[in-house]
């Protein structure tokens, strides 16, 4: 489980497609989705690249990209 932070909510605004399809809970609440982990650890360049990639291809990938937004298993992500 990952705790939603102010930073993760701020970083979500940087990704137009992701933020249109994905909402975070209130600050301090817990979330088990891997996309939340990426947003919380946004300062790591590799994770930032993954977010940019999902955001860029999301509208083209349709159901596949939307599945990534709800994925809660790191092995499936």
């Amino acid at each position: 489980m990952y705790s939603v932070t102010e930073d993760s909510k701020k970083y979500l605004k940087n990704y137009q497609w992701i933020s249109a399809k994905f909402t975070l809970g209130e600050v301090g609440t817990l979330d088990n989705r891997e996309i939340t982990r990426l947003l919380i650890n946004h300062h790591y360049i590799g994770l930032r690249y993954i977010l940019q990639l999902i955001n860029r291809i999301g509208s083209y990938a349709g159901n596949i990209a939307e599945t990534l937004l709800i994925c809660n298993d790191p092995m499936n992500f």
Side-chain angles (χ1 to χ4, degrees), residues 9-76:
K9 292 181 88 61
K10 179 179 77 175
Y11 293 133
L12 179 60
K13 294 175 186 175
N14 295 332
Y15 304 103
Q16 184 178 4
W17 182 84
I18 295 173
S19 63
K21 300 287 183 179
F22 177 78
T23 55
L24 283 170
E26 296 298 317
V27 172
T29 60
L30 296 177
D31 193 317
N32 65 344
R33 295 171 290 185
E34 285 299 297
I35 196 81
T36 304
R37 179 179 62 85
L38 295 178
L39 289 165
I40 289 169
N41 295 308
H42 184 269
H43 54 282
Y44 293 114
I45 293 172
L47 299 181
R48 190 178 318 149
Y49 174 76
I50 293 170
L51 284 166
Q52 291 169 347
L53 182 64
I54 293 169
N55 191 64
R56 192 171 350 126
I57 65 165
S59 59
Y60 303 109
N63 290 341
I64 294 170
E66 289 184 26
T67 299
L68 287 175
L69 298 181
I70 60 170
C71 182
N72 60 10
D73 183 342
M75 295 300 289
N76 290 329

